[in-house]
Amino acid sequence: MFAELNSILNTSPDSFKQGEFILVSDRQTDASFLIHHFLSLYLRAGCKVCFLGLVQSFSHYSAISQRLGVSLTQAREKGQLVFLEGLKESLGVLLQREASKGTRAVDFLRDPSSGLRSLYDFVRDNVRGAVGGGGGEEWGPPVLLVDDLSVVLSLGVSVGAALDFSHYCRATVCSELQGSMVMLVRCEAEEEEEESDDDGSERLLRGLTHQCSLTLQVQGLPTGYCRDIHGQVEVCWRGQCDRQQTQKKLFQYKVHDKGAYFFARGTSSAVL
């Protein structure tokens, strides 16, 4: 969990906005450090977290979270964390194992044209189970984390199906249960190519941007590589109605072993 980012977003484990959909995106750099930040933030806040890890193993997330002072193993054993290990589940489908031996959340791999209904059902069942569940500890508002949604496009799922999945998850998690959502989307194209590019991830990003309440867009430095500054983050608070104006702020950042530093653009001596 990064204290400086919490200050920028005016949030903390003791005080965070409910019903929020946070969209994280990256372009020619890696924004996964923000997923680790939000994972540790919501676990420290006592929320019930449903994490769709579609691109990395549980051990990968666990090792990084350990450096941030959070044990994913303990959280999962206590029932606070539900982790879908997409790589392992996908392997079972590709090897034609019986569906009864595991979750049906990745059934879309058998027929991508059917959409992400099975994945939504997995999310719905787990986040609703976090509210008013019997026995065990009581957790705070449910949280859905997705790393990263754009990977389903390479598996044959359409942009429309991915947007439908996000829409229904937002209706359930954010509206019905007053929880929070954080999704990561990766875009490979240069920003200046975005208008003419017909890449699915670009269309997915534009569609999700209309659904979310907060965006964090991570990019490399326009001046190129710098040893002391790894990139920049544009934070955009989107108005929830026509009368509210969108607010944007730009920060530069540097990731280190146990966190990240954030600088208002132009305040770091490393980059002018």
Side-chain angles (χ1 to χ4, degrees), residues 35-36 39-40 43 47-65 71-90 102-106 119 122-123 126-127 143-148:
I35 291 294
H36 298 295
L39 175 60
S40 62
L43 287 176
C47 297
K48 175 68 177 282
V49 177
C50 179
F51 189 0
L52 306 184
L54 304 180
V55 294
Q56 297 287 355
S57 66
F58 178 81
S59 59
H60 167 83
Y61 297 106
S62 180
I64 296 177
S65 294
S71 173
L72 297 192
T73 301
Q74 290 181 5
R76 187 163 66 170
E77 290 175 349
K78 292 188 299 182
Q80 184 184 10
L81 172 66
V82 175
F83 184 85
L84 176 70
E85 192 160 355
L87 295 176
K88 181 183 293 185
E89 296 292 339
S90 299
T103 176
R104 301 183 62 90
V106 295
L119 190 60
F122 175 85
V123 171
N126 281 284
V127 296
V143 173
L144 171 63
L145 287 171
V146 184
D147 181 16
D148 72 84

Side-chain angles (χ1 to χ4, degrees), residues 21-25 116 144 146 148-153 159-170 181-187 200-217 238 240:
F21 177 10
I22 301 172
L23 176 62
V24 178
S25 65
L116 298 175
L144 171 63
V146 184
D148 72 84
L149 187 59
S150 55
V151 75
V152 302
L153 303 183
V159 173
L163 290 174
D164 286 344
F165 168 75
S166 172
H167 170 77
Y168 285 111
C169 285
R170 177 171 173 258
M181 278 174 41
V182 182
M183 288 188 176
L184 172 63
V185 172
R186 289 195 160 93
C187 297
S201 60
E202 295 288 351
R203 290 184 284 125
L204 177 61
L205 176 61
R206 290 195 292 269
L208 291 175
T209 299
H210 289 294
Q211 295 182 14
C212 72
S213 54
L214 172 66
T215 64
L216 290 90
Q217 300 178 16
R238 299 181 58 80
Q240 297 302 294

Side-chain angles (χ1 to χ4, degrees), residues 27-45:
R27 191 181 301 276
Q28 297 189 326
T29 190
D30 185 5
S32 59
F33 68 97
L34 293 177
I35 291 294
H36 298 295
H37 162 78
F38 286 111
L39 175 60
S40 62
L41 168 69
Y42 288 119
L43 287 176
R44 287 178 183 272

